[in-house]
Structures are given as C-alpha cells and as structure tokens.
Amino acid sequence: MALLKVKFNQKKRVKLAQGLWLMNWFSVFAGILVFSMGLFLKIELRKRSEVMDNSESHFVPNSLILMGILSCAFNGFAGKICYDSLDPTKFAKWKPLLKPYLALCCIFNMLIFFLALICFLMRGSLDSTLAQGLKNGMKFYRDTDTPGRCFMKKTIDMLQIEFKCCGNNGYKDWFEIQWISNRYLDFSSKEVKDRIKSNVDGRYLVDGVPFSCCNPSSPRPCIQYQVTNNSAHYSYDYQTEELNLWRRGCREALLSYYSGMMSSMGGVILLVWLFEMSVMVGLRLLHTSLESIANPEDPECESEGWVLENSLKDTFKSALENLKKLGKFNQVEAGAEGAEGEEGGKTPAITTVS
C-alpha cells in the first residue's frame, strides 16, 4: 500500500505546482538567511580567534555557509521544475532527473538536520577551545614588545570590558601569571627582587588584575592591586566584601554568548529543515501524480500521487534486499576474478621424452 496516496485532477495538480514554485522561492530566501548566519558567526569567531585554541569551532559557520549556497541552488532548480510542470512538453525533459534529484534532496535534508544538532551540541567543544585559548592569551598579555603578540593586551582588555568578565575562570587567574612586562618593573627595587626570587620560575607575581577587570558601576574606586591585602585598603575585607571587579570569568561569558547564538541558529535551521521537508514531499507528490496519468494526451484526467510506492516497512525491506544482492554480486565478482587468476597462474606440465 502506497504511503500518503492522494488523488489529483488537473486543477489540483496546477495548484500544487504553483504552491511548490512559491515555496521553493521562499526556501531560496531561507538559504540566503542560513548563508548570512554562517557568515555572521564566522566573523564573530574571527574577532576572538586569538583567544581560541584551534580552528575546529569554524566547522559550524563553514557548514552553514555551504548549506546556504546548496539550499539556494537546490530550491532554485526545484522552482524551475515546478514551473515547467505546468506544461507537459516542458516537464518531459525533467522526468529522468527527478528521481536522482529527490534522492539528493533526502541527503541534503539529512545534512541540514545533522547541522542543526551540531549547533545545539557544540557547547562542549567550544568550552575546551575557549579555556585553553584564554589561558594562552593571558600568558602573552605582557608581551607588548614582541612581534606577533603586541596586540594581545588590547585584545584581552577589550574582551574583559565588552563582556564584563575577568580572567579565564575568574579574577584570581591573574594572580598565577606575570601579566606586567619586565619593561615596567624596577629591578633595583627590593620588593621586585624579592617577588621574583620567591617564585620558582622567576616570575613577578602580584595579587592584582588589569584595569579592564574593574566594574565602572561600583561606587568605590577600583581596587586592582593588593586585592587580597585587607590592611592595604580602608574598611575592606576581600573574603566578605563584594569586590568591585567583574566576578564572571571570560570563558563562561564567551561560552554563554556563543552558545546562545548557536542555539538560536539551530532553532532557525530546524525550521528551515521542516520547510525543506515539506517542499520535498510536495515535489514527490507532484512527480508521481504526473507520472501516473493514464492518458498523457488527456492532461485533465485524474491521477494518483504518493510519497512512497509501498509502505515504510516494505520500502525498508526492499532497500535491505537490494543491499544484500549488491553485496552478493560483489562477492561473486571477486570470487570469479580469483578463480581466473588461479587458472592463469597454473603452468602446464611439460614432459620431456629422451
């Protein structure tokens, strides 16, 4: 029994073709939207590529750009088919291409659905990428005189100001690295020497943070140095008092920003996928309804259209059987080639008569 069998007359077929033509052009605009989202996400990721550990995160925007281009191409082609289906003579040239085209549409829609899932599941990969990238970026904060790294201070400062964050996981991350350049340290000072000698790696570590960690909304002047020294500031207890530094780490802030963006894009792509699926089903109905016309010379006669010629169960069984036959055919061919090789490798016995 055919799946989703529908009876059509000439009027219904024309309405279906016209509706599909319109839907395909809406799908072209949806493809442009997907392309634009991919381009926007790629630009946003490139803005902060210095604080990301690898380029794996660009897989999603690159895929969105590719899917957007393919969507425009596929739906533009389908729109042409639907338009030509109104004229039987024009539609005849598309008949041999429709089955392969619908098979490609199935694969394309599966890829769109897979891409939507990736948008929702990308958080874990992005988390590790940001954690390592920010850690490395903070190490280069002081290298303002080093070619290739002189921009890192500005990048980190702008990032902390824009996203209202501090450090990788929090402001205390700055206590573990030397973020002040040696150029601005007075090595004749006893305090500087003692701090460097007290550290195993010979680094100048302080309980301070860059100015970009300060919260401008705080009524108190920013305490960015001697953050953990209560006696250095009047009426101050760093363990109980609400610090005037950003509490949230930049990894969490960026992860929340990109995850929210990708989740929204995933929702849009799912809607596009549903729309593409409805277009594909409609195109299949149009294709089968035109092919099943009993008398091609009488275009006004009734016909039947369906999505699958048999039920889902029967179609699945038929596909499995075809795969098995294909496997057996390959085995037979391989066996025959092996037998021919053995026969060819045999050398006839030569008897010498003396």
mmCIF file of all heavy atoms in Angstrom, residues 130-175:
data_model
loop_
_atom_site.group_PDB
_atom_site.id
_atom_site.type_symbol
_atom_site.label_atom_id
_atom_site.label_comp_id
_atom_site.label_asym_id
_atom_site.label_seq_id
_atom_site.Cartn_x
_atom_site.Cartn_y
_atom_site.Cartn_z
ATOM 1 N N LEU A 130 37.881 27.522 24.267
ATOM 2 C CA LEU A 130 37.992 28.825 24.920
ATOM 3 C C LEU A 130 38.883 28.754 26.157
ATOM 4 O O LEU A 130 39.677 29.671 26.404
ATOM 5 C CB LEU A 130 36.604 29.335 25.308
ATOM 6 C CG LEU A 130 35.722 29.843 24.168
ATOM 7 C CD1 LEU A 130 34.299 30.054 24.636
ATOM 8 C CD2 LEU A 130 36.285 31.144 23.604
ATOM 9 N N ALA A 131 38.757 27.682 26.929
ATOM 10 C CA ALA A 131 39.544 27.551 28.168
ATOM 11 C C ALA A 131 41.039 27.592 27.871
ATOM 12 O O ALA A 131 41.800 28.336 28.506
ATOM 13 C CB ALA A 131 39.172 26.255 28.888
ATOM 14 N N GLN A 132 41.479 26.807 26.891
ATOM 15 C CA GLN A 132 42.895 26.759 26.547
ATOM 16 C C GLN A 132 43.344 28.032 25.834
ATOM 17 O O GLN A 132 44.441 28.548 26.081
ATOM 18 C CB GLN A 132 43.171 25.539 25.660
ATOM 19 C CG GLN A 132 44.643 25.216 25.468
ATOM 20 C CD GLN A 132 45.380 24.950 26.771
ATOM 21 O OE1 GLN A 132 44.858 24.275 27.660
ATOM 22 N NE2 GLN A 132 46.578 25.490 26.897
ATOM 23 N N GLY A 133 42.489 28.551 24.953
ATOM 24 C CA GLY A 133 42.833 29.762 24.210
ATOM 25 C C GLY A 133 42.988 30.974 25.115
ATOM 26 O O GLY A 133 43.930 31.769 24.957
ATOM 27 N N LEU A 134 42.080 31.134 26.078
ATOM 28 C CA LEU A 134 42.175 32.260 27.015
ATOM 29 C C LEU A 134 43.396 32.128 27.919
ATOM 30 O O LEU A 134 44.067 33.120 28.231
ATOM 31 C CB LEU A 134 40.903 32.338 27.864
ATOM 32 C CG LEU A 134 39.681 32.944 27.177
ATOM 33 C CD1 LEU A 134 38.418 32.630 27.954
ATOM 34 C CD2 LEU A 134 39.853 34.461 27.040
ATOM 35 N N LYS A 135 43.689 30.906 28.324
ATOM 36 C CA LYS A 135 44.861 30.659 29.168
ATOM 37 C C LYS A 135 46.136 31.082 28.448
ATOM 38 O O LYS A 135 47.002 31.752 29.022
ATOM 39 C CB LYS A 135 44.918 29.173 29.539
ATOM 40 C CG LYS A 135 45.993 28.821 30.538
ATOM 41 C CD LYS A 135 45.936 27.345 30.879
ATOM 42 C CE LYS A 135 47.040 26.974 31.861
ATOM 43 N NZ LYS A 135 47.017 25.514 32.177
ATOM 44 N N ASN A 136 46.259 30.693 27.186
ATOM 45 C CA ASN A 136 47.431 31.074 26.390
ATOM 46 C C ASN A 136 47.469 32.579 26.133
ATOM 47 O O ASN A 136 48.537 33.205 26.178
ATOM 48 C CB ASN A 136 47.432 30.326 25.054
ATOM 49 C CG ASN A 136 47.625 28.834 25.230
ATOM 50 O OD1 ASN A 136 48.201 28.385 26.213
ATOM 51 N ND2 ASN A 136 47.128 28.051 24.279
ATOM 52 N N GLY A 137 46.297 33.157 25.855
ATOM 53 C CA GLY A 137 46.223 34.594 25.584
ATOM 54 C C GLY A 137 46.651 35.429 26.779
ATOM 55 O O GLY A 137 47.359 36.437 26.629
ATOM 56 N N MET A 138 46.266 35.015 27.984
ATOM 57 C CA MET A 138 46.641 35.746 29.197
ATOM 58 C C MET A 138 48.149 35.694 29.444
ATOM 59 O O MET A 138 48.736 36.640 29.971
ATOM 60 C CB MET A 138 45.881 35.176 30.394
ATOM 61 C CG MET A 138 44.401 35.527 30.394
ATOM 62 S SD MET A 138 43.463 34.620 31.661
ATOM 63 C CE MET A 138 44.178 35.261 33.163
ATOM 64 N N LYS A 139 48.782 34.603 29.038
ATOM 65 C CA LYS A 139 50.239 34.483 29.197
ATOM 66 C C LYS A 139 50.982 35.504 28.338
ATOM 67 O O LYS A 139 52.064 35.961 28.693
ATOM 68 C CB LYS A 139 50.693 33.072 28.804
ATOM 69 C CG LYS A 139 50.349 32.007 29.827
ATOM 70 C CD LYS A 139 50.828 30.641 29.336
ATOM 71 C CE LYS A 139 50.424 29.545 30.315
ATOM 72 N NZ LYS A 139 50.827 28.201 29.797
ATOM 73 N N PHE A 140 50.386 35.843 27.192
ATOM 74 C CA PHE A 140 51.029 36.780 26.266
ATOM 75 C C PHE A 140 50.601 38.227 26.504
ATOM 76 O O PHE A 140 50.964 39.122 25.736
ATOM 77 C CB PHE A 140 50.703 36.398 24.818
ATOM 78 C CG PHE A 140 51.121 35.000 24.448
ATOM 79 C CD1 PHE A 140 50.322 34.214 23.627
ATOM 80 C CD2 PHE A 140 52.308 34.456 24.917
ATOM 81 C CE1 PHE A 140 50.693 32.923 23.273
ATOM 82 C CE2 PHE A 140 52.690 33.168 24.585
ATOM 83 C CZ PHE A 140 51.888 32.399 23.750
ATOM 84 N N TYR A 141 49.829 38.473 27.555
ATOM 85 C CA TYR A 141 49.305 39.814 27.839
ATOM 86 C C TYR A 141 50.441 40.831 28.000
ATOM 87 O O TYR A 141 50.326 41.981 27.577
ATOM 88 C CB TYR A 141 48.467 39.764 29.112
ATOM 89 C CG TYR A 141 47.799 41.064 29.495
ATOM 90 C CD1 TYR A 141 46.544 41.403 28.990
ATOM 91 C CD2 TYR A 141 48.415 41.973 30.368
ATOM 92 C CE1 TYR A 141 45.924 42.595 29.348
ATOM 93 C CE2 TYR A 141 47.814 43.156 30.722
ATOM 94 C CZ TYR A 141 46.568 43.468 30.208
ATOM 95 O OH TYR A 141 45.959 44.649 30.559
ATOM 96 N N ARG A 142 51.547 40.400 28.610
ATOM 97 C CA ARG A 142 52.651 41.324 28.912
ATOM 98 C C ARG A 142 53.577 41.563 27.713
ATOM 99 O O ARG A 142 54.402 42.472 27.724
ATOM 100 C CB ARG A 142 53.488 40.778 30.067
ATOM 101 C CG ARG A 142 54.222 39.503 29.731
ATOM 102 C CD ARG A 142 55.162 39.100 30.834
ATOM 103 N NE ARG A 142 55.922 37.916 30.449
ATOM 104 C CZ ARG A 142 57.040 37.532 31.052
ATOM 105 N NH1 ARG A 142 57.523 38.246 32.052
ATOM 106 N NH2 ARG A 142 57.672 36.447 30.651
ATOM 107 N N ASP A 143 53.456 40.730 26.658
ATOM 108 C CA ASP A 143 54.407 40.782 25.541
ATOM 109 C C ASP A 143 54.054 41.887 24.548
ATOM 110 O O ASP A 143 53.835 41.646 23.366
ATOM 111 C CB ASP A 143 54.461 39.429 24.827
ATOM 112 C CG ASP A 143 54.976 38.332 25.730
ATOM 113 O OD1 ASP A 143 55.659 38.656 26.714
ATOM 114 O OD2 ASP A 143 54.686 37.150 25.461
ATOM 115 N N THR A 144 54.028 43.121 25.044
ATOM 116 C CA THR A 144 53.642 44.246 24.182
ATOM 117 C C THR A 144 54.765 44.663 23.227
ATOM 118 O O THR A 144 54.543 45.448 22.312
ATOM 119 C CB THR A 144 53.246 45.459 25.041
ATOM 120 O OG1 THR A 144 54.280 45.703 26.012
ATOM 121 C CG2 THR A 144 51.942 45.193 25.764
ATOM 122 N N ASP A 145 55.983 44.165 23.477
ATOM 123 C CA ASP A 145 57.109 44.489 22.597
ATOM 124 C C ASP A 145 57.481 43.343 21.677
ATOM 125 O O ASP A 145 58.424 43.465 20.894
ATOM 126 C CB ASP A 145 58.343 44.854 23.439
ATOM 127 C CG ASP A 145 58.106 46.094 24.287
ATOM 128 O OD1 ASP A 145 57.389 46.988 23.798
ATOM 129 O OD2 ASP A 145 58.606 46.155 25.419
ATOM 130 N N THR A 146 56.755 42.228 21.770
ATOM 131 C CA THR A 146 57.070 41.037 20.971
ATOM 132 C C THR A 146 56.257 41.042 19.679
ATOM 133 O O THR A 146 55.025 41.092 19.737
ATOM 134 C CB THR A 146 56.760 39.742 21.750
ATOM 135 O OG1 THR A 146 57.432 39.798 23.016
ATOM 136 C CG2 THR A 146 57.205 38.515 20.986
ATOM 137 N N PRO A 147 56.905 41.002 18.512
ATOM 138 C CA PRO A 147 56.155 40.966 17.240
ATOM 139 C C PRO A 147 55.226 39.755 17.184
ATOM 140 O O PRO A 147 55.615 38.646 17.535
ATOM 141 C CB PRO A 147 57.267 40.848 16.191
ATOM 142 C CG PRO A 147 58.485 41.386 16.852
ATOM 143 C CD PRO A 147 58.363 41.025 18.299
ATOM 144 N N GLY A 148 53.990 39.985 16.758
ATOM 145 C CA GLY A 148 53.011 38.904 16.676
ATOM 146 C C GLY A 148 52.173 38.753 17.928
ATOM 147 O O GLY A 148 51.128 38.106 17.909
ATOM 148 N N ARG A 149 52.646 39.347 19.037
ATOM 149 C CA ARG A 149 51.895 39.245 20.294
ATOM 150 C C ARG A 149 51.571 40.619 20.881
ATOM 151 O O ARG A 149 50.907 40.707 21.912
ATOM 152 C CB ARG A 149 52.700 38.460 21.326
ATOM 153 C CG ARG A 149 52.950 37.011 20.955
ATOM 154 C CD ARG A 149 53.778 36.338 22.023
ATOM 155 N NE ARG A 149 54.148 34.975 21.666
ATOM 156 C CZ ARG A 149 55.012 34.236 22.352
ATOM 157 N NH1 ARG A 149 55.586 34.740 23.437
ATOM 158 N NH2 ARG A 149 55.293 33.004 21.961
ATOM 159 N N CYS A 150 52.053 41.670 20.244
ATOM 160 C CA CYS A 150 51.891 43.010 20.806
ATOM 161 C C CYS A 150 50.432 43.447 20.885
ATOM 162 O O CYS A 150 50.086 44.369 21.620
ATOM 163 C CB CYS A 150 52.705 44.012 20.001
ATOM 164 S SG CYS A 150 52.356 43.977 18.230
ATOM 165 N N PHE A 151 49.562 42.759 20.130
ATOM 166 C CA PHE A 151 48.136 43.122 20.116
ATOM 167 C C PHE A 151 47.348 42.424 21.223
ATOM 168 O O PHE A 151 46.190 42.751 21.466
ATOM 169 C CB PHE A 151 47.519 42.724 18.770
ATOM 170 C CG PHE A 151 47.629 41.247 18.491
ATOM 171 C CD1 PHE A 151 46.672 40.360 18.953
ATOM 172 C CD2 PHE A 151 48.712 40.746 17.789
ATOM 173 C CE1 PHE A 151 46.783 38.998 18.719
ATOM 174 C CE2 PHE A 151 48.839 39.386 17.550
ATOM 175 C CZ PHE A 151 47.874 38.509 18.020
ATOM 176 N N MET A 152 47.961 41.433 21.909
ATOM 177 C CA MET A 152 47.209 40.598 22.833
ATOM 178 C C MET A 152 46.676 41.380 24.039
ATOM 179 O O MET A 152 45.578 41.112 24.521
ATOM 180 C CB MET A 152 48.076 39.430 23.305
ATOM 181 C CG MET A 152 47.303 38.358 24.069
ATOM 182 S SD MET A 152 45.892 37.700 23.147
ATOM 183 C CE MET A 152 46.737 36.660 21.965
ATOM 184 N N LYS A 153 47.458 42.345 24.530
ATOM 185 C CA LYS A 153 46.990 43.149 25.671
ATOM 186 C C LYS A 153 45.694 43.866 25.325
ATOM 187 O O LYS A 153 44.719 43.838 26.090
ATOM 188 C CB LYS A 153 48.065 44.159 26.076
ATOM 189 C CG LYS A 153 47.632 45.047 27.252
ATOM 190 C CD LYS A 153 48.672 46.104 27.556
ATOM 191 C CE LYS A 153 48.228 46.959 28.741
ATOM 192 N NZ LYS A 153 46.956 47.661 28.527
ATOM 193 N N LYS A 154 45.678 44.507 24.150
ATOM 194 C CA LYS A 154 44.474 45.234 23.730
ATOM 195 C C LYS A 154 43.299 44.270 23.555
ATOM 196 O O LYS A 154 42.166 44.578 23.955
ATOM 197 C CB LYS A 154 44.744 45.965 22.420
ATOM 198 C CG LYS A 154 43.557 46.762 21.915
ATOM 199 C CD LYS A 154 43.855 47.437 20.590
ATOM 200 C CE LYS A 154 42.619 48.163 20.075
ATOM 201 N NZ LYS A 154 42.866 48.792 18.755
ATOM 202 N N THR A 155 43.571 43.088 22.955
ATOM 203 C CA THR A 155 42.513 42.092 22.729
ATOM 204 C C THR A 155 41.875 41.651 24.038
ATOM 205 O O THR A 155 40.646 41.615 24.178
ATOM 206 C CB THR A 155 43.094 40.868 21.991
ATOM 207 O OG1 THR A 155 43.623 41.280 20.740
ATOM 208 C CG2 THR A 155 42.011 39.818 21.752
ATOM 209 N N ILE A 156 42.726 41.321 25.034
ATOM 210 C CA ILE A 156 42.219 40.854 26.332
ATOM 211 C C ILE A 156 41.474 41.967 27.054
ATOM 212 O O ILE A 156 40.395 41.751 27.627
ATOM 213 C CB ILE A 156 43.373 40.323 27.207
ATOM 214 C CG1 ILE A 156 44.031 39.094 26.556
ATOM 215 C CG2 ILE A 156 42.881 39.973 28.606
ATOM 216 C CD1 ILE A 156 43.197 37.849 26.550
ATOM 217 N N ASP A 157 42.039 43.178 27.041
ATOM 218 C CA ASP A 157 41.382 44.305 27.723
ATOM 219 C C ASP A 157 40.011 44.598 27.113
ATOM 220 O O ASP A 157 39.022 44.798 27.841
ATOM 221 C CB ASP A 157 42.266 45.554 27.651
ATOM 222 C CG ASP A 157 43.418 45.508 28.639
ATOM 223 O OD1 ASP A 157 43.283 44.822 29.661
ATOM 224 O OD2 ASP A 157 44.463 46.138 28.377
ATOM 225 N N MET A 158 39.941 44.650 25.784
ATOM 226 C CA MET A 158 38.664 44.921 25.116
ATOM 227 C C MET A 158 37.659 43.805 25.384
ATOM 228 O O MET A 158 36.457 44.056 25.542
ATOM 229 C CB MET A 158 38.883 45.077 23.610
ATOM 230 C CG MET A 158 39.688 46.316 23.216
ATOM 231 S SD MET A 158 38.955 47.868 23.792
ATOM 232 C CE MET A 158 37.450 47.902 22.837
ATOM 233 N N LEU A 159 38.156 42.574 25.438
ATOM 234 C CA LEU A 159 37.285 41.434 25.720
ATOM 235 C C LEU A 159 36.687 41.539 27.119
ATOM 236 O O LEU A 159 35.474 41.341 27.308
ATOM 237 C CB LEU A 159 38.101 40.143 25.589
ATOM 238 C CG LEU A 159 37.385 38.829 25.898
ATOM 239 C CD1 LEU A 159 36.343 38.532 24.837
ATOM 240 C CD2 LEU A 159 38.383 37.687 25.976
ATOM 241 N N GLN A 160 37.512 41.871 28.122
ATOM 242 C CA GLN A 160 37.034 41.963 29.506
ATOM 243 C C GLN A 160 36.076 43.134 29.700
ATOM 244 O O GLN A 160 35.114 43.035 30.473
ATOM 245 C CB GLN A 160 38.236 42.066 30.450
ATOM 246 C CG GLN A 160 39.071 40.794 30.471
ATOM 247 C CD GLN A 160 40.161 40.790 31.531
ATOM 248 O OE1 GLN A 160 40.490 39.763 32.090
ATOM 249 N NE2 GLN A 160 40.753 41.950 31.816
ATOM 250 N N ILE A 161 36.313 44.208 28.978
ATOM 251 C CA ILE A 161 35.416 45.366 29.081
ATOM 252 C C ILE A 161 34.077 45.075 28.398
ATOM 253 O O ILE A 161 33.006 45.361 28.938
ATOM 254 C CB ILE A 161 36.085 46.618 28.463
ATOM 255 C CG1 ILE A 161 37.265 47.068 29.325
ATOM 256 C CG2 ILE A 161 35.073 47.754 28.317
ATOM 257 C CD1 ILE A 161 38.150 48.125 28.680
ATOM 258 N N GLU A 162 34.149 44.503 27.191
ATOM 259 C CA GLU A 162 32.929 44.248 26.420
ATOM 260 C C GLU A 162 32.029 43.209 27.069
ATOM 261 O O GLU A 162 30.802 43.386 27.132
ATOM 262 C CB GLU A 162 33.311 43.779 25.010
ATOM 263 C CG GLU A 162 32.108 43.544 24.099
ATOM 264 C CD GLU A 162 32.498 43.049 22.719
ATOM 265 O OE1 GLU A 162 33.711 43.020 22.393
ATOM 266 O OE2 GLU A 162 31.582 42.693 21.956
ATOM 267 N N PHE A 163 32.636 42.118 27.564
ATOM 268 C CA PHE A 163 31.835 41.028 28.130
ATOM 269 C C PHE A 163 31.722 41.087 29.656
ATOM 270 O O PHE A 163 31.175 40.170 30.267
ATOM 271 C CB PHE A 163 32.421 39.681 27.700
ATOM 272 C CG PHE A 163 32.143 39.345 26.272
ATOM 273 C CD1 PHE A 163 33.032 39.722 25.271
ATOM 274 C CD2 PHE A 163 30.981 38.680 25.908
ATOM 275 C CE1 PHE A 163 32.772 39.426 23.942
ATOM 276 C CE2 PHE A 163 30.712 38.381 24.583
ATOM 277 C CZ PHE A 163 31.611 38.756 23.608
ATOM 278 N N LYS A 164 32.271 42.145 30.268
ATOM 279 C CA LYS A 164 32.180 42.343 31.719
ATOM 280 C C LYS A 164 32.653 41.094 32.460
ATOM 281 O O LYS A 164 31.916 40.495 33.252
ATOM 282 C CB LYS A 164 30.734 42.694 32.114
ATOM 283 C CG LYS A 164 30.234 43.973 31.465
ATOM 284 C CD LYS A 164 28.809 44.289 31.865
ATOM 285 C CE LYS A 164 28.323 45.573 31.205
ATOM 286 N NZ LYS A 164 26.931 45.905 31.571
ATOM 287 N N CYS A 165 33.877 40.703 32.151
ATOM 288 C CA CYS A 165 34.433 39.482 32.741
ATOM 289 C C CYS A 165 35.878 39.747 33.142
ATOM 290 O O CYS A 165 36.448 40.786 32.810
ATOM 291 C CB CYS A 165 34.363 38.335 31.745
ATOM 292 S SG CYS A 165 35.254 38.647 30.190
ATOM 293 N N CYS A 166 36.478 38.788 33.844
ATOM 294 C CA CYS A 166 37.851 38.947 34.304
ATOM 295 C C CYS A 166 38.532 37.592 34.377
ATOM 296 O O CYS A 166 38.013 36.670 35.023
ATOM 297 C CB CYS A 166 37.874 39.616 35.670
ATOM 298 S SG CYS A 166 39.544 39.974 36.266
ATOM 299 N N GLY A 167 39.664 37.456 33.705
ATOM 300 C CA GLY A 167 40.416 36.207 33.735
ATOM 301 C C GLY A 167 39.761 35.104 32.917
ATOM 302 O O GLY A 167 38.814 35.344 32.162
ATOM 303 N N ASN A 168 40.263 33.899 33.106
ATOM 304 C CA ASN A 168 39.715 32.739 32.407
ATOM 305 C C ASN A 168 38.473 32.226 33.139
ATOM 306 O O ASN A 168 37.368 32.273 32.611
ATOM 307 C CB ASN A 168 40.794 31.658 32.314
ATOM 308 C CG ASN A 168 40.416 30.518 31.394
ATOM 309 O OD1 ASN A 168 39.266 30.369 31.013
ATOM 310 N ND2 ASN A 168 41.373 29.709 31.030
ATOM 311 N N ASN A 169 38.675 31.791 34.382
ATOM 312 C CA ASN A 169 37.550 31.331 35.209
ATOM 313 C C ASN A 169 37.151 32.354 36.262
ATOM 314 O O ASN A 169 36.104 32.224 36.883
ATOM 315 C CB ASN A 169 37.923 30.015 35.908
ATOM 316 C CG ASN A 169 38.204 28.905 34.910
ATOM 317 O OD1 ASN A 169 37.386 28.610 34.054
ATOM 318 N ND2 ASN A 169 39.382 28.307 35.005
ATOM 319 N N GLY A 170 37.997 33.352 36.490
ATOM 320 C CA GLY A 170 37.733 34.372 37.496
ATOM 321 C C GLY A 170 38.939 35.274 37.661
ATOM 322 O O GLY A 170 40.003 35.048 37.071
ATOM 323 N N TYR A 171 38.806 36.329 38.486
ATOM 324 C CA TYR A 171 39.881 37.314 38.626
ATOM 325 C C TYR A 171 41.157 36.725 39.222
ATOM 326 O O TYR A 171 42.261 37.212 38.976
ATOM 327 C CB TYR A 171 39.397 38.511 39.459
ATOM 328 C CG TYR A 171 39.158 38.212 40.925
ATOM 329 C CD1 TYR A 171 40.175 38.380 41.862
ATOM 330 C CD2 TYR A 171 37.921 37.759 41.374
ATOM 331 C CE1 TYR A 171 39.965 38.109 43.199
ATOM 332 C CE2 TYR A 171 37.702 37.482 42.703
ATOM 333 C CZ TYR A 171 38.723 37.663 43.627
ATOM 334 O OH TYR A 171 38.515 37.384 44.956
ATOM 335 N N LYS A 172 41.069 35.652 40.004
ATOM 336 C CA LYS A 172 42.248 35.066 40.647
ATOM 337 C C LYS A 172 43.200 34.411 39.642
ATOM 338 O O LYS A 172 44.346 34.117 39.983
ATOM 339 C CB LYS A 172 41.824 34.042 41.701
ATOM 340 C CG LYS A 172 41.220 34.689 42.939
ATOM 341 C CD LYS A 172 40.942 33.680 44.031
ATOM 342 C CE LYS A 172 40.372 34.374 45.266
ATOM 343 N NZ LYS A 172 40.077 33.404 46.363
ATOM 344 N N ASP A 173 42.737 34.187 38.414
ATOM 345 C CA ASP A 173 43.631 33.630 37.376
ATOM 346 C C ASP A 173 44.805 34.565 37.102
ATOM 347 O O ASP A 173 45.888 34.107 36.718
ATOM 348 C CB ASP A 173 42.856 33.387 36.074
ATOM 349 C CG ASP A 173 41.834 32.277 36.204
ATOM 350 O OD1 ASP A 173 42.023 31.405 37.065
ATOM 351 O OD2 ASP A 173 40.849 32.283 35.445
ATOM 352 N N TRP A 174 44.593 35.868 37.284
ATOM 353 C CA TRP A 174 45.668 36.837 37.032
ATOM 354 C C TRP A 174 46.759 36.750 38.089
ATOM 355 O O TRP A 174 47.884 37.218 37.863
ATOM 356 C CB TRP A 174 45.115 38.257 36.978
ATOM 357 C CG TRP A 174 44.303 38.536 35.749
ATOM 358 C CD1 TRP A 174 42.951 38.666 35.671
ATOM 359 C CD2 TRP A 174 44.795 38.712 34.415
ATOM 360 N NE1 TRP A 174 42.549 38.902 34.377
ATOM 361 C CE2 TRP A 174 43.673 38.942 33.578
ATOM 362 C CE3 TRP A 174 46.060 38.704 33.841
ATOM 363 C CZ2 TRP A 174 43.777 39.157 32.215
ATOM 364 C CZ3 TRP A 174 46.179 38.919 32.485
ATOM 365 C CH2 TRP A 174 45.059 39.139 31.688
ATOM 366 N N PHE A 175 46.459 36.178 39.277
ATOM 367 C CA PHE A 175 47.463 36.048 40.338
ATOM 368 C C PHE A 175 48.519 35.000 39.974
ATOM 369 O O PHE A 175 49.601 34.987 40.556
ATOM 370 C CB PHE A 175 46.813 35.638 41.661
ATOM 371 C CG PHE A 175 45.775 36.602 42.179
ATOM 372 C CD1 PHE A 175 44.995 36.278 43.279
ATOM 373 C CD2 PHE A 175 45.572 37.839 41.578
ATOM 374 C CE1 PHE A 175 44.044 37.153 43.774
ATOM 375 C CE2 PHE A 175 44.614 38.721 42.059
ATOM 376 C CZ PHE A 175 43.847 38.375 43.159
#
